[in-house]
Amino acid sequence: MNFDDTPQEAEFRATARKWVAANAPKEFEEELSKSSLGRIRLAKHDMVEVGKTWQKKKAEGGWACLHWPKEYGGRGATPIEKVIWQQEEGVYGKLTQPFQIGEGMCGPTVMAFGTEDAKRRYLPKLASGEEIWCQLFSEPAGGSDVAGLRTRAEKQGDNWVINGQKIWTSGAHYSDYGLLITRTDPNVPKHKGLTMFFLDMKSKGVEVRPIKQANGMQEFNEVYFTDVVIPDSQRLGAVGDGWSVSLTTLMNERMSIGSRLATGLPEMFEFCSNLMTDDGLAIDDPATRSKLASWAVKASGLKYTSYRAISALSKGERPGPENSIGKLVSGTMLQDIATYAMDLEGASGALTGLDEETASGQFQQMLLSSPSMRIAGGTDEILRNIIAERVLGLPGDIRVDKDVPFNKIPTKGR
Amino acid sequence: MNFDFSDEQKQMRDAARKFLTEKCPPKAVREVLDGKATYDKALWTGLAEMGFLGVAIPEEFGGAGAGHLELCVIAEEMGRALAPVPFASTVYLAAEALLLAGSDAQKQKWLPKIASGEAIGTLALFEGKGNPSPQAIKLSASGGTLNGVKKPVPDGAIADFAIVAARTGSTGRDADISLFLVDLKAGGVEVRSLTNIDPTHGQAELTFKNCKAEPLGAAGDGWSILTQVLDRAAVLVAFEQVGGSDRALEMGRDYALDRIAFGRPIGSFQAVKHILADMYVSATLARSNCYYGAWALSTNASELPEAAAAARISATQAFQHCSKNNIQVHGGMGFTWEFDCHMYYRRANATAVTLGSLSYWEDQLIDRMRKKNAA
Amino acid sequence: MNFDDTPQEAAFRAEAKAWIAANAPKQYEDELRKSSLGRTALRDANILEVAKVWQKKKADAGWACLHWPKEYGGRGSSPIERVIWQQEEGPFGKLSGIFIIGHGMCGPTMMAFAGEAEKKKYLPPLASGEKVWCQLFSEPAGGSDVAGLRTRAEKKGDDWIINGQKIWTSGAHYSDYGILLTRTDPNVAKHKGLTMFFLDMKSPGVDIRPIKQASGQSDFNEVYFTDVKIPDSQRLGAVNDGWNVSLTTLMNERMSIGAGVSTGFPELFDFCNSLMLDDGPAIEDRNVRSRLANYAVKASGLKYTSMRAISALSKGDRPGPENSIGKLVAGSMVQEVAMYALDLQGAAGALSGPEDAEIAGKFQAMLLRAPGTRVEGGTDEIMRNIIAERVLGLPGDIRVDKDVPFNKIPTNGRA
C-alpha cells in the first residue's frame, strides 16, 4: 500500500505539471482558490469567457477531455491519467464548470448514439469549449422521477415538433446545444414512450428563463419549448428507447471520481483556529473540538474513499460503489458546519456583509446554498435508495406506475 | 393540572391567525424580503389597532393589560406568519426592559407609544461577534453621554429609541454594566443598515458619539436587568420559532400529499414520511418546553431562567430542523426563490442567533440546572 | 395556565397520599427509586412476590386498576384520578411492571369482548394481581407486521386446537393466563383470517422457553403450542374478527399517559455533577454541557408533553396525538445517554465487575437494554409511520399483501 505514482504515472504527471505551470491563467489563481460552495464567480471577469479561453488553450495543447479518442478532440488517455490531470490542474479546474455537463454527460451520449458525421461535427468543439452543451431532462412533474417527464415530441414528416417545459437546466442561457429527452408515446408505460434528441439551443421556439434560487443566485433555468422543430437526424437512439439512452448519460458518473466535493471542513477549521471567543480561541473549546473532530473524520473518510477509487483506476480496475456516498455525506455536513460557524459568531452570525467581520459571509452563503446540495443530482433520499439497492442489493421500491400507460398515471395527490 | 392556554387565550390565537392570514400573506412578507420596504408599516398599524402591540402592557400605560400568556399566543402567530415587523425588538426587548426597570416617567413616555404603534424600540446589546456577556460590553457611559458602537442591533435602522447596555465601571464584575435609554431621533447616533440572511428583519450598526442618554434602572443593575429581559425574550422568541416550525411542517406535509412521483404521492414513501415524523417530534418537544416557559414567564416563577433556556434551545433546534427539512421534502422547488420555504429557513437561522446562539443557551441551561440542584 | 389540582383532584390526591404513606413497602423505596431501565430487581427479595403483595394490598383497599368498574375489581375512577394515583404511588409504581400488560391490554380486551360470566370470574383476580396475564401476539414471522402471524387454530367440535409459536412474550413464565391471536383461515387476506382467544398458560402443550437477550438478561420468552386445546367459550370476538379485537388491545395506549418514559437524563445529569475529568468537574466542560443541554430539553419536552395530555384528561378532553412521540424519543435517547456516560468514563467505562462502581453498571445495563426499547411495542420506524399516518395524515404504505390470500404471501425474500 502506498500513495506513489507508477513510473508511467509519474512521467505523465511531470508533463502535465509543466504544461499547467507554463499556460494556466495565474492571475485568477488566488480568487479561484478562495471560492467555495455557493460563490464561484470572478470579481472582474465573466467566468464563462475565462473558462472558454482556458479550455481552448487546453484543447490546443491536447489536455481537453483527456479520456476521449483523439479524433473527437480528446487525448485517448487512461482513467488514471485523467485523475492525475485533475490533480495537477488544481484550482483552474474550477474554470471547467460550464463544460462539465457537456463533457460528462452530453458528450458520452453523442459518442454512444450519434452518427459518425455528428460525432465529428460536434464533439471536438464540445471538447474545446467552443460550443457549450446542456442537459434537458428534469421537468416540473419529473424531478427524482425523471421518467415522469411530459415534454412531447410529435413526428411531422422528417421532423419532430417539441412542446413542453424543462427545469433545473444548468447553463441553458449560455449553451449552444442541448441533450433533450421527450415523450413520444404517452399510451405506453412511462419508461417505454421516451425518445432522446439533441438540438440547437438557438432554435426558434426555445425560451430560456433563469430561476431565482433560495440563496438569491441564478444558476439554473427553466426552458420552454413551443413548436420547436428538430430534424430526425438529431435523434439519439431508437424512437421509444430514450430511457435506455438516458441511462448512458446518467450512469456516466466516473467523472466525479477525483474531483472533490466541498465539505466546508477546511474553511471551518481555519475559522475556528482564528476565532477569538470570550473564553479564548474557539479551537481550544472542548465543544468546538468535539464537533470539528466529528467533521474531520467524515471529510478524511471521503477523501480516502476517493483515493481507494483512484487506486482501483490506477490498477485498471473498475472502482467500487463506495464513491456514491460522497454527496450524501458532504451535503448535510456543509449545512451543519455553516450552522455551527454562525452559532460561534453569536448574534453577528446572521450578518452577511463582507465588512462585518463574519469570515466574509462565506458560512452564511454556505448555509443558504447547502440545501441544494442535498437535492440537486439526486436527493439524499434517492441516494440512500441507490446505496441500498445498487450497493447493498436490497429490493427496489414498489412501483405502482410501472405497467400503467403514462397518461393513466395520477398527476396530483389530493 | 391545567397546563394549557385558556379558551379566551385560544380565541385570541384564532383572532391573531385570522388577522395575520389576511394582512400578512407571504406576498406581504416578500415586499420586505425584496427590499421594497424596511418593514410592513400597514401591518404594524393594524397590529396596534388589534391591541396586539400592547397586549402585555398594563392599562395605565396604554396597553390591554392582558398578560404574558396572551403575548405568547400572539408571538406564535407572528412567527407562523413570518411577520416582517419590529415586534420582537419593540415588544419583547424594549417594552420588557421598560416594564422591568423603567421609571414611572419613562414608562409613561414610551409604553403608550409602543402600544399605539407610534414608537419602535430596540435593545442595543451586542458589540460585534460573540454572545451576551458583561465583558463584551465596551461602550462607555460617563456624565450621561455614551460613546461606542453597537452591532448588530435588531431593527436598529427603524427604531425610535433604544435601551443601551453600557460600561460604567471596570471592576470586572456584573455591576460594571448599566442600562440607558436613548431617543434615537435626538441626535448623537449614526445608523448604518447591515445585510443579514433574513432580510425580513433588519439589523443595524449604531455608533454613539457623545450621545445624550438617560439611565434605565439603577446604576450597576444593567446586567441583572438584561439577564431578565433576555430570559423573557427567549420564551417569546421561542413561541415565534414554534409557530414557524409548525408552519414549515404543514408546508412539507401538504406538499408530500400533493406531489406525485413514481405514480404515488411522495408522502407515501417511508423515506419522506419519516422526515416529516421527525419534524413533528421536534416541533412537539419544542411546543411543550415553550408551554412551560410560558407558565414560568406569566407567573414570574423562580423556574424562569431554566425554563427560558430550555424553551429557547428546544425551539431553536425545532425551527432549524423543520425549516431545512421542509426544503428537503419540497426537493428542487423548495430551493427556488418563488417557493416560500427559504423564507422560513432564513428566519430559522437568523432567530437561532439573535439573543445569543444555541451554544450560549446550552451553557446557560446547564449552569442554571446546576445552581438549582445545588440549592 | 397552572399546575394546580382542582379541589376534587386535591382531595383525591390527599387521600391517595395518606393511604400510600401508611401502606407502601417503604423498605424497598430507596432501591426502587434508584433502579433504572434495564435493571428493575431487588437485591434481597423476589420482585414478583413483593409486587403481588403490594398489588393485593392496593386491591383490598380499592386502589387497583382505578379506572375499571368496581364490579370488575376497579374503583370507577376518572382518567385524571388514575394519573394522580400514579404520581403519588411514585417509585412503588415500578412494582406494577409485571401487571402492566394484563391491566393495560388483556383486561380491556376481556372487558370489551368476553361474556359477563368470564368478566366477573377473571377480571377481579387480574386487578388484584393474584393472577398475572400475558399477551401472545408477536411471532418470528410477524414482528412489526403483527398480522403476518402463522400460529394456527383449528376447530374440533367445541374446542380449538392450537399449533405454532409466539415470541417476545413478556412474563410468560410467571403468567397464569394469556390472550392469544391465531390464524383460523389462511385462505383469505391476512387481516381477515385471524381469531382471538384467552387461555390458561398451564394448559397441556404450552412450552415456555426464555430468550437470552443481547443484554444478557431474560425478560422475554418464546412460547410453543403443540395441540393445545382451548374451549370455544374462551374465544374473544367473532371467528376471523381477531384483527379488530387486537386493535382494541393495541390501541389501549392511554395507559402510557403520565407513566413517564425513562430517558436516562436524570441519571446522566447526576453522574456528570459528580464526575471529575482531568481538567476538572465534567459538568464544567463545554462539550459535556452542550450534550447535557440537548438531552435536557428532550427530557423536559417529553415531561411537559405528558403534562399537556394530563391537562386534557383533567378537563375531560381526549388527549391529542402528541403523546405518541414518547417511546420514539426516549428509546434512542437512552441509548445515546448510556453511550456518552461510558465515553466519559474513558477506558473504565467498559468494565462491569462489582468493583467498578455501581454507576458504570447502571449505564451499561441501560446501553444493553436500550436496543430492545427501540424495537418492542412498535419499532422506531413503525412509530414514525404511525405519527406520519395517524397524526400528519400521510397515506399508508403500499401494501402488496393486502388482498392476497395469506398462504400466497412470500415468506422468504431470497428464496
Side-chain angles (χ1 to χ4, degrees):
Chain A
M1 187 182 276
N2 64 60
F3 297 96
D4 305 337
D5 288 331
T6 64
Q8 297 92 314
E9 288 166 10
E11 197 189 322
F12 180 86
R13 189 185 296 280
T15 316
R17 183 170 295 179
K18 209 170 130 197
W19 191 88
V20 171
N23 293 283
K26 300 223 177 45
E27 62 273 31
F28 301 114
E29 181 172 1
E30 202 190 320
E31 219 175 337
L32 287 170
S33 61
K34 275 193 191 149
S35 74
S36 60
L37 177 81
R39 37 167 70 194
I40 309 183
R41 268 192 211 149
L42 299 172
K44 294 182 185 133
H45 291 84
D46 177 32
M47 161 90 183
V48 176
E49 286 313 312
V50 176
K52 280 192 164 192
T53 307
W54 174 231
Q55 189 69 17
K56 186 77 172 45
K57 209 174 203 179
K58 281 157 62 182
E60 284 160 5
W63 295 104
C65 293
L66 278 83
H67 57 306
W68 287 15
K70 285 187 185 157
E71 63 265 40
Y72 303 138
R75 188 189 183 91
T78 62
I80 189 68
E81 286 174 339
K82 187 175 171 223
V83 169
I84 293 171
W85 165 259
Q86 283 172 347
Q87 292 171 340
E88 294 305 320
E89 189 181 15
V91 294
Y92 304 109
K94 291 184 184 176
L95 288 172
T96 58
Q97 197 205 359
F99 316 111
Q100 272 172 8
I101 289 185
E103 180 179 341
M105 305 180 103
C106 307
T109 309
V110 171
M111 217 162 318
F113 295 96
T115 62
E116 193 54 37
D117 280 357
K119 290 196 253 189
R120 289 188 188 273
R121 154 65 187 86
Y122 293 104
L123 292 176
K125 290 202 165 169
L126 194 169
S128 67
E130 286 163 274
E131 290 172 351
I132 299 183
W133 285 58
C134 63
Q135 182 242 74
L136 300 146
F137 284 15
S138 290
E139 295 194 7
S144 292
D145 180 15
V146 177
L149 62 90
R150 316 185 77 80
T151 294
R152 289 282 278 125
E154 286 171 296
K155 190 81 188 279
Q156 280 191 10
D158 277 346
N159 292 325
W160 294 83
V161 178
I162 316 294
N163 280 288
Q165 183 199 345
K166 295 288 173 178
I167 196 169
W168 303 119
T169 315
S170 309
H173 52 300
Y174 54 68
S175 286
D176 302 288
Y177 294 93
L179 192 65
L180 173 71
I181 186 162
T182 62
R183 184 161 306 280
T184 39
D185 187 353
N187 299 306
V188 295
K190 66 176 186 175
H191 292 91
K192 295 181 181 159
L194 305 176
T195 303
M196 185 78 79
F197 300 92
F198 68 89
L199 87 163
D200 186 335
M201 289 297 285
K202 311 284 180 302
S203 305
K204 203 164 156 271
V206 176
E207 191 200 339
V208 178
R209 297 184 201 162
I211 300 171
K212 189 171 180 188
Q213 292 154 213
N215 62 354
M217 293 187 168
Q218 300 185 347
E219 295 161 308
F220 303 99
N221 303 277
E222 294 177 300
V223 183
Y224 291 82
F225 298 88
T226 314
D227 294 331
V228 175
V229 176
I230 302 184
D232 190 53
S233 60
Q234 291 180 201
R235 174 162 48 77
L236 294 169
V239 173
D241 211 21
W243 183 245
S244 302
V245 178
S246 76
L247 290 183
T248 311
T249 315
L250 297 170
M251 290 299 214
N252 229 291
E253 282 166 349
R254 266 201 209 178
M255 56 175 277
S256 69
I257 293 174
S259 60
R260 297 239 189 91
L261 286 161
T263 60
L265 194 260
E267 292 89 344
M268 187 63 180
F269 197 87
E270 198 192 329
F271 173 66
C272 293
S273 301
N274 296 311
L275 180 72
M276 268 317 252
T277 69
D278 291 340
D279 308 328
L281 277 178
I283 198 150
D284 289 331
D285 178 284
T288 303
R289 285 174 170 232
S290 169
K291 289 209 157 87
L292 276 178
S294 300
W295 288 320
V297 297
K298 280 191 187 171
S300 61
L302 287 184
K303 179 171 153 192
Y304 298 126
T305 300
S306 128
Y307 279 16
R308 288 168 57 206
I310 293 171
S311 290
L313 287 181
S314 172
K315 284 188 271 182
E317 293 165 6
R318 206 187 145 80
E322 305 84 14
N323 237 46
S324 53
I325 67 171
K327 195 176 86 81
L328 183 60
V329 175
S330 60
T332 310
M333 192 167 146
L334 274 169
Q335 203 161 28
D336 292 347
I337 282 184
T339 306
Y340 191 58
M342 288 170 56
D343 180 288
L344 286 175
E345 292 177 335
S348 290
L351 303 180
T352 51
L354 290 173
D355 53 344
E356 309 306 340
E357 45 176 343
T358 56
S360 316
Q362 66 171 332
F363 293 109
Q364 288 71 16
Q365 196 53 53
M366 197 188 276
L367 180 90
L368 293 177
S369 300
S370 59
S372 72
M373 282 289 290
R374 297 180 52 200
I375 294 166
T379 62
D380 282 1
E381 291 66 40
I382 292 288
L383 293 178
R384 288 196 185 92
N385 281 348
I386 289 175
I387 292 171
E389 294 167 23
R390 295 197 206 150
V391 182
L392 303 177
L394 296 174
D397 225 308
I398 296 183
R399 292 282 164 86
V400 292
D401 57 354
K402 204 170 172 179
D403 301 314
V404 181
F406 181 73
N407 49 18
K408 297 280 186 288
I409 296 173
T411 57
K412 195 106 179 102
R414 301 193 285 193
Chain B
M1 186 179 297
N2 184 13
F3 186 44
D4 194 4
F5 290 98
S6 68
D7 289 344
E8 292 73 25
Q9 286 153 357
K10 287 178 183 168
Q11 280 161 15
M12 187 176 267
R13 183 201 322 249
D14 294 344
R17 184 169 302 186
K18 186 160 171 279
F19 172 79
L20 287 162
T21 305
E22 203 175 299
K23 306 289 184 191
C24 184
K27 197 168 146 268
V29 181
R30 281 173 180 276
E31 291 285 306
V32 180
L33 177 75
D34 292 334
K36 291 177 194 145
T38 48
Y39 71 104
D40 189 335
K41 292 191 180 70
L43 178 62
W44 190 244
T45 311
L47 288 165
E49 284 162 4
M50 291 293 287
F52 292 160
L53 298 182
V55 72
I57 294 175
E59 284 173 85
E60 54 176 316
F61 301 119
H68 282 94
L69 289 175
E70 285 73 10
L71 184 52
C72 286
V73 300
I74 291 166
E76 182 182 336
E77 296 308 315
M78 298 294 284
R80 194 183 158 83
L82 297 178
V85 286
F87 195 74
S89 43
T90 305
V91 179
Y92 312 157
L93 294 170
E96 289 299 325
L98 281 165
L99 285 168
L100 274 167
S103 67
D104 210 52
Q106 286 167 331
K107 290 186 196 170
Q108 283 296 359
K109 178 170 179 195
W110 291 106
L111 290 175
K113 286 188 181 168
I114 288 177
S116 66
E118 290 164 81
I120 292 170
T122 187
L123 173 72
L125 167 61
F126 298 103
E127 300 182 17
K129 264 185 279 202
N131 280 310
S133 102
Q135 287 74 36
I137 296 171
K138 312 279 188 227
L139 179 138
S140 69
S142 65
T145 61
L146 306 181
N147 281 289
V149 182
K150 290 289 184 184
K151 164 177 119 170
V153 179
D155 300 306
I158 54 172
D160 299 290
F161 72 99
I163 313 294
V164 183
R167 174 163 296 277
T168 46
S170 52
T171 63
R173 284 176 310 185
D174 292 358
D176 292 342
I177 307 302
S178 306
L179 294 186
F180 292 86
L181 198 161
V182 175
D183 185 340
L184 295 173
K185 305 294 177 201
V189 187
E190 259 174 44
V191 177
R192 183 169 70 96
S193 284
L194 305 173
T195 55
N196 84 96
I197 58 166
D198 178 18
T200 65
H201 271 171
Q203 298 283 351
E205 178 184 83
L206 303 189
T207 305
F208 298 81
K209 284 183 183 160
N210 296 321
C211 172
K212 288 260 170 293
E214 51 182 279
L216 183 88
D221 274 359
W223 191 252
S224 131
I225 300 164
L226 273 173
T227 309
Q228 296 174 64
V229 171
L230 288 177
D231 283 351
R232 290 173 170 217
V235 174
L236 295 162
V237 170
F239 269 91
E240 288 201 3
Q241 292 170 308
V242 161
S245 304
D246 263 18
R247 182 66 196 126
L249 170 60
E250 282 170 25
M251 288 163 72
R253 192 262 324 265
D254 289 350
Y255 192 75
L257 284 168
D258 283 340
R259 170 79 175 176
I260 294 274
F262 306 104
R264 44 197 267 214
I266 60 169
S268 73
F269 290 99
Q270 289 200 2
V272 174
K273 263 189 204 175
H274 289 187
I275 294 177
L276 289 161
D278 286 341
M279 288 161 72
Y280 175 80
V281 168
S282 64
T284 301
L285 291 174
R287 176 174 294 278
S288 298
N289 276 313
C290 282
Y291 279 29
Y292 188 61
W295 167 80
L297 172 62
S298 67
T299 55
N300 208 10
S302 62
E303 289 90 343
L304 178 61
E306 189 187 333
R312 167 80 179 151
I313 295 167
S314 198
T316 296
Q317 290 174 334
F319 197 13
Q320 286 183 320
H321 178 83
C322 290
S323 64
K324 85 177 171 191
N325 284 321
N326 179 37
I327 295 180
Q328 188 67 17
V329 169
H330 276 75
M333 298 316 295
F335 196 62
T336 59
W337 191 265
E338 182 192 348
F339 274 52
D340 296 335
C341 306
H342 71 99
M343 301 200 295
Y344 285 84
Y345 186 61
R346 288 169 182 275
R347 177 67 65 85
N349 286 291
T351 45
V353 292
T354 55
L355 310 178
S357 66
L358 197 55
S359 301
Y360 168 77
W361 287 98
E362 286 171 354
D363 206 45
Q364 290 294 311
L365 175 64
I366 300 305
D367 236 5
R368 293 163 183 193
M369 289 177 73
R370 195 180 171 204
K371 275 181 196 142
K372 189 186 79 178
N373 235 35
Chain C
M1 189 179 279
N2 64 63
F3 294 96
D4 306 336
D5 288 330
T6 64
Q8 296 92 313
E9 288 165 9
F12 180 86
R13 188 184 296 279
E15 194 187 341
K17 189 176 288 217
W19 190 85
I20 289 166
N23 293 283
K26 297 219 181 46
Q27 64 273 32
Y28 303 116
E29 182 169 0
D30 202 44
E31 219 175 337
L32 287 169
R33 208 177 281 286
K34 277 190 196 149
S35 75
S36 55
L37 179 76
R39 43 156 63 182
T40 322
L42 299 173
R43 205 163 299 139
D44 304 316
N46 178 336
I47 189 158
L48 187 64
E49 290 312 313
V50 175
K52 283 194 162 190
V53 171
W54 173 231
Q55 190 66 23
K56 183 72 170 63
K57 207 172 203 180
K58 281 156 61 181
D60 291 343
W63 295 104
C65 292
L66 279 83
H67 56 307
W68 288 11
K70 284 187 183 154
E71 63 265 41
Y72 303 138
R75 188 189 183 91
S77 292
S78 65
I80 188 69
E81 285 175 341
R82 184 160 167 248
V83 169
I84 292 171
W85 165 261
Q86 284 171 347
Q87 292 172 338
E88 294 303 321
E89 192 179 13
F92 303 109
K94 291 186 182 173
L95 288 172
S96 13
I98 59 167
F99 308 114
I100 283 181
I101 291 188
H103 293 163
M105 304 180 103
C106 306
T109 309
M110 290 289 286
M111 217 152 336
F113 294 97
E116 192 55 36
E118 280 76 22
K119 289 198 252 188
K120 290 240 160 73
K121 175 172 175 200
Y122 292 102
L123 290 174
L126 196 176
S128 67
E130 287 160 278
K131 299 292 181 194
V132 179
W133 286 58
C134 63
Q135 182 243 75
L136 300 145
F137 286 13
S138 289
E139 295 194 8
S144 291
D145 177 19
V146 176
L149 60 90
R150 315 184 76 80
T151 294
R152 289 283 278 125
E154 286 170 296
K155 191 82 187 281
K156 277 218 176 130
D158 276 349
D159 294 330
W160 293 83
I161 307 296
I162 316 294
N163 280 289
Q165 183 199 347
K166 295 288 174 177
I167 197 169
W168 304 121
T169 316
S170 307
H173 51 302
Y174 53 68
S175 286
D176 302 286
Y177 296 95
I179 58 172
L180 172 70
L181 190 58
T182 64
R183 180 160 310 278
T184 36
D185 187 351
N187 299 307
V188 295
K190 68 174 186 177
H191 292 90
K192 294 181 182 159
L194 304 176
T195 304
M196 185 80 81
F197 298 94
F198 68 92
L199 89 162
D200 187 334
M201 290 297 284
K202 311 284 182 300
S203 307
V206 177
D207 176 19
I208 298 168
R209 300 180 200 165
I211 301 171
K212 187 165 182 191
Q213 292 150 218
S215 60
Q217 293 172 320
S218 296
D219 300 326
F220 303 101
N221 303 275
E222 293 178 301
V223 183
Y224 291 81
F225 297 87
T226 315
D227 293 332
V228 175
K229 203 184 282 184
I230 301 183
D232 191 52
S233 61
Q234 291 181 199
R235 176 164 46 76
L236 295 170
V239 173
N240 291 339
D241 205 26
W243 182 245
N244 283 327
V245 178
S246 77
L247 289 183
T248 310
T249 315
L250 296 171
M251 292 297 218
N252 228 290
E253 282 166 351
R254 264 201 210 180
M255 55 174 279
S256 70
I257 292 173
V261 285
S262 174
T263 61
F265 176 72
E267 291 90 342
L268 183 68
F269 189 76
D270 285 350
F271 173 57
C272 291
N273 250 321
S274 57
L275 180 72
M276 280 302 284
L277 300 175
D278 293 342
D279 312 334
I283 194 129
E284 285 175 12
D285 179 284
R286 277 287 179 98
N287 191 28
V288 173
R289 290 163 92 110
S290 170
R291 293 272 201 132
L292 278 178
N294 279 289
Y295 297 135
V297 299
K298 277 192 190 174
S300 61
L302 286 184
K303 177 173 155 194
Y304 300 125
T305 299
S306 128
M307 287 193 176
R308 287 167 57 203
I310 294 172
S311 293
L313 289 181
S314 172
K315 283 190 266 184
D317 295 342
R318 208 186 145 78
E322 302 84 13
N323 238 45
S324 55
I325 68 172
K327 196 179 88 78
L328 178 61
V329 174
S332 52
M333 184 169 154
V334 167
Q335 203 165 24
E336 287 175 33
V337 160
M339 276 191 238
Y340 190 55
L342 297 184
D343 175 274
L344 284 172
Q345 296 169 70
L351 302 179
S352 60
E355 69 276 18
D356 293 300
E358 199 182 345
I359 292 169
K362 178 188 278 189
F363 290 111
Q364 285 161 1
M366 234 184 239
L367 179 76
L368 294 174
R369 183 60 184 81
T373 308
R374 295 185 55 197
V375 172
E376 71 199 327
T379 61
D380 283 2
E381 291 66 37
I382 293 286
M383 299 313 286
R384 289 197 179 91
N385 281 350
I386 289 175
I387 292 170
E389 293 168 23
R390 296 198 205 150
V391 182
L392 301 178
L394 294 170
D397 224 307
I398 307 264
R399 295 278 164 85
V400 290
D401 57 358
K402 202 170 175 179
D403 301 313
V404 181
F406 181 72
N407 48 17
K408 298 279 186 288
I409 296 173
T411 58
N412 201 322
R414 300 197 285 194

